[in-house]
Amino acid sequence: MVTVNVSKKYLLQLAGKKLSDLQLEEALHQIKSPIDSQDGNNLVIEVNGDRPDLLSAEGISRALKGYLGVEKGIPSEKFGKSGMVVNVDSSVKSVREFIVCAVVENLKISDDDLADLIQIQEKLTLTHGRKRKKVAIGLHDTSMLTAPYFYKAVDPKSISFIPLGKDRKMDLQEIIEKHEKGIDYAYILDGAKKYPVIFDSKNQVLSFPPIINGALTMLTTNTKSIFIDITGLDYHACNIALNILCQDFADRGASVKTVEIKSGGKAITTPETAPEKMELDIGFANKLLGTELSAKQIVECLKKQRISAKIKNPKTIECLIPKYRADFLHPVDLVEEVALGYGFNKFIPKQPSVYTKGELSENTKLIDDAVGLMIGFGFMQINTPILTNEKLAGKVKSISPLVKILNPISEEYENVRSSLLPQMLDTLSKNTHNIYPQKIFEIGSTIIANPKIAVQCENNISIAAAIASPTANISDLSPVLLELLGKLQLEFDLHKSELKMFISGRQATLKGKGAIFGEIGEISPEILEMLKMEVPISAFEIVIKRN
């Protein structure tokens, strides 16, 4: 959960309806934005992490309008063309590839408006933008700029400008090392030989994304026109963030215009606003909700959630989802919108019709036993996402092939992990500032492709552990592995191996019932250097249950 500060008076003005405090509290709760606290006119509102479009008064009011019946379906604003062009150099591909932009005109900005703009910028980059790594946002006063604009990666010492919060010029390297924001976000550009910069036709620097904007384009109450730049590692995420901001500005009454992005001989116009199409099976929705809603009723519920919908045939509803919504991956997400539009207070609780007795599954008991043993051995448990990417696996020379997701929403999470060790080593590389020794373990699912079974994949339970310290070696970890295998009653034989992840002669594979189910060894110096680790690491991983 993240909280945003909103003026109650401004919120109700945008919503276009008078509500008592009790009515407003209930309505906000129904749109998944409950009030956390209130101090006079100021509301502190909680927003779910899956709804970045609700991180502003405009976004919340947009949802309120639908719930209250003031406006239904997708907002109808259409954005004109600005005629502005951003030329993208191929050099940014290796550091921060994507950029999307827009222009906002006919603005009237008060001090409160400035605070709101700073808030939505910070909250969007914190949540949806993953602390600027995935998405970073720049808002610029255009009065001092001359189009076209250029996005290029340059040598850190080759360009200097006055960054926000300072009164003198600093080059990019100096900003990274001495500016407060540079110190905070330097890790995002870790390892990059060149840094991304946005500048205009007069070589005036707008932004050094994702670190800091230039003082030249700082917003004030005199700003009448804003240039929005959004850079990141994932085009889809950048475009969603731009759509959120553009829709917010349009709801404020400003004029939003598109920008042409030219890269590699191709050109696109941003923001891309075409709604996403998704179909909803009426029977599927009613079955999940335990209702008997008609097609017309479901359409009405969806429209209240600002989703355009129409009946395609007696069994199917065709839906158009606005581009500013980031939370739609499957038709089940539409079912949730139907429930919200229908109103949770209308659902009647039912007593279970069948008595059942629950208990821990065998897999859960096995996991609990393994966790207890590893904690007893003095290791700290970590939990990493089951989704990963080929780049991380390749960095640590993992040989287990990855299962690819058909429609990933991010390059960072486009595969399902087949091993726990890559993410474990990545975790250690991000904790070099903590004291040693570091002893960590993880237990969880690993997915292995297997075309011989119906679902094409095995979902195994694996456990991995690692020790990072100046004296770490295979001898430190072997007793832990042997004791763990004994307690879990897993029979095994050790065999010589030559995995690239480990040092030759300091590694082994474990075989049980004729099949390899684990490995142990000391991480190779090449990988340690790539991870910027200054101490040795010994590690093991075993499959404790095949499913």
Side-chain angles (χ1 to χ4, degrees):
M1 285 278 192
V2 64
T3 60
V4 293
N5 292 287
V6 173
S7 162
K8 182 178 73 172
K9 182 179 178 181
Y10 181 53
L11 181 63
L12 292 175
Q13 177 186 331
L14 287 171
K17 198 155 186 174
K18 292 182 179 180
L19 298 172
S20 67
D21 284 355
L22 187 60
Q23 289 173 323
L24 178 59
E25 183 179 1
E26 175 62 21
L28 289 172
H29 185 76
Q30 291 297 321
I31 63 169
K32 296 171 68 175
S33 300
I35 296 175
D36 178 70
S37 61
Q38 181 174 354
D39 183 12
N41 184 53
N42 184 65
L43 302 176
V44 179
I45 296 177
E46 289 185 349
V47 179
N48 277 9
D50 64 343
R51 291 296 303 272
D53 58 299
L54 300 180
L55 291 171
S56 63
E58 291 79 16
I60 295 170
S61 70
R62 196 159 51 241
L64 271 179
K65 284 180 180 180
Y67 176 77
L68 299 172
V70 177
E71 289 181 8
K72 296 180 182 179
I74 292 181
S76 59
E77 283 85 358
K78 292 184 179 180
F79 305 148
K81 294 181 179 180
S82 69
M84 288 189 182
V85 175
V86 175
N87 296 291
V88 182
D89 190 80
S90 60
S91 58
V92 299
K93 283 189 176 181
S94 62
V95 58
R96 197 168 183 84
E97 180 176 1
F98 300 105
I99 182 170
V100 294
C101 303
V103 174
V104 183
E105 298 176 344
N106 302 324
L107 277 169
K108 293 181 180 179
I109 300 179
S110 66
D111 288 331
D112 289 340
D113 293 333
L114 273 177
D116 289 343
L117 288 177
I118 293 170
Q119 176 177 246
I120 180 63
Q121 183 180 8
E122 290 181 347
K123 301 291 183 178
L124 257 182
T125 52
L126 172 68
T127 56
H128 180 69
R130 302 291 189 270
K131 296 182 179 180
R132 300 192 188 184
K133 183 175 184 179
K134 188 177 181 182
V135 171
I137 299 168
L139 303 177
H140 311 277
D141 188 323
T142 62
S143 62
M144 300 294 290
L145 300 173
T146 305
Y149 303 112
F150 299 87
Y151 181 45
K152 184 179 182 180
V154 300
D155 185 89
K157 293 283 188 179
S158 65
I159 285 183
S160 61
F161 68 100
I162 302 175
L164 278 175
K166 300 297 178 181
D167 56 6
R168 68 176 182 87
K169 285 188 175 183
M170 303 171 73
D171 64 41
L172 307 186
Q173 190 63 45
E174 191 178 6
I175 289 172
I176 285 288
E177 295 173 353
K178 297 180 180 180
H179 194 286
E180 294 83 355
K181 296 299 181 183
I183 295 169
D184 288 345
Y185 297 105
Y187 71 94
I188 301 175
L189 298 175
D190 194 23
K193 294 181 180 179
K194 293 186 176 182
Y195 294 159
V197 174
I198 303 171
F199 54 93
D200 71 355
S201 61
K202 292 183 178 180
N203 289 326
Q204 298 180 114
V205 175
L206 285 70
S207 178
F208 169 23
I211 308 301
I212 193 72
N213 289 340
L216 176 73
T217 62
M218 183 176 66
L219 303 186
T220 70
T221 53
N222 295 320
T223 298
K224 305 298 180 186
S225 176
I226 291 177
F227 176 75
I228 305 173
D229 80 77
I230 297 182
T231 62
L233 306 179
D234 181 83
Y235 175 80
H236 181 66
C238 291
N239 190 54
I240 287 173
L242 184 59
N243 270 273
I244 290 171
L245 289 175
C246 288
Q247 191 61 55
D248 282 358
F249 277 116
D251 290 348
R252 283 175 173 262
S255 174
V256 179
K257 296 184 177 180
T258 61
V259 170
E260 187 177 19
I261 309 294
K262 291 184 176 181
S263 176
K266 298 179 181 179
I268 60 171
T269 299
T270 64
E272 290 188 318
T273 58
E276 180 183 351
K277 293 182 180 180
M278 191 178 286
E279 293 185 352
L280 177 63
D281 183 278
I282 296 169
F284 173 68
N286 277 319
K287 182 180 179 181
L288 284 187
L289 297 177
T291 55
E292 295 181 359
L293 299 175
S294 67
K296 288 184 177 180
Q297 287 176 304
I298 292 177
V299 166
E300 186 62 22
C301 291
L302 290 168
K303 285 183 176 180
K304 287 178 68 177
Q305 294 301 108
R306 308 311 303 266
I307 297 167
S308 292
K310 65 179 181 180
I311 301 170
K312 182 177 181 179
N313 57 52
K315 293 184 178 181
T316 309
I317 293 171
E318 187 175 82
C319 305
L320 295 178
I321 302 161
K323 261 298 194 284
Y324 59 75
R325 290 291 297 268
D327 55 326
F328 283 86
L329 302 176
H330 186 275
V332 74
D333 296 314
L334 284 171
V335 177
E336 181 187 8
E337 298 301 312
V338 173
L340 288 165
Y342 181 67
F344 285 122
N345 291 341
K346 293 182 181 178
F347 287 95
I348 301 173
K350 292 182 180 179
Q351 290 284 350
S353 57
V354 178
Y355 173 77
T356 57
K357 182 181 178 182
E359 65 175 336
L360 295 178
S361 69
E362 292 303 315
N363 284 352
T364 300
K365 292 177 183 177
L366 177 63
I367 290 171
D368 287 349
D369 289 343
V371 167
L373 288 168
M374 292 304 298
I375 291 174
F377 296 148
F379 285 71
M380 176 183 292
Q381 185 176 13
I382 65 170
N383 289 288
T384 60
I386 193 171
L387 299 182
T388 185
N389 58 76
E390 292 180 352
K391 184 178 179 180
L392 177 59
K395 183 187 289 187
V396 300
K397 301 187 183 301
S398 174
I399 62 171
S400 301
L402 298 175
V403 175
K404 190 172 181 65
I405 297 171
L406 184 61
N407 295 306
I409 63 170
S410 166
E411 290 183 355
E412 191 174 356
Y413 300 114
E414 61 183 3
N415 299 92
V416 185
R417 69 185 179 193
S418 59
S419 169
L420 300 175
L421 281 179
Q423 286 156 298
M424 178 166 287
L425 295 176
D426 186 55
T427 298
L428 288 171
S429 74
K430 294 175 179 176
N431 284 274
T432 54
H433 57 286
N434 289 318
I435 61 172
Y436 292 103
Q438 295 175 15
K439 301 167 70 175
I440 61 174
F441 80 97
E442 180 171 12
I443 183 166
S445 294
T446 51
I447 312 299
I448 307 296
N450 186 350
K452 296 180 180 180
I453 61 178
V455 294
Q456 305 284 299
C457 295
E458 294 178 14
N459 184 357
N460 300 322
I461 300 174
S462 298
I463 184 168
I467 298 176
S469 78
T471 60
N473 59 70
I474 195 171
S475 300
D476 294 335
L477 208 52
S478 297
V480 175
L481 177 59
L482 294 174
E483 186 70 13
L484 178 67
L485 292 167
K487 293 291 186 182
L488 297 179
Q489 299 181 355
L490 296 174
E491 297 180 359
F492 70 97
D493 294 313
L494 288 174
H495 294 265
K496 183 180 178 181
S497 64
E498 291 295 333
L499 298 174
K500 292 183 179 180
M501 180 184 292
F502 301 114
I503 299 172
S504 179
R506 305 292 294 172
Q507 58 175 292
T509 55
L510 289 81
K511 287 186 178 180
K513 298 180 180 180
I516 294 175
F517 72 95
E519 58 269 339
I520 183 172
E522 297 173 10
I523 303 300
S524 75
E526 182 183 353
I527 294 175
L528 293 177
E529 184 178 353
M530 193 176 301
L531 295 173
K532 296 188 176 180
M533 293 293 301
E534 297 180 354
V535 298
I537 300 174
S538 57
F540 73 74
E541 180 171 1
I542 58 172
V543 177
I544 60 174
K545 181 67 180 292
R546 295 190 185 276
N547 294 318

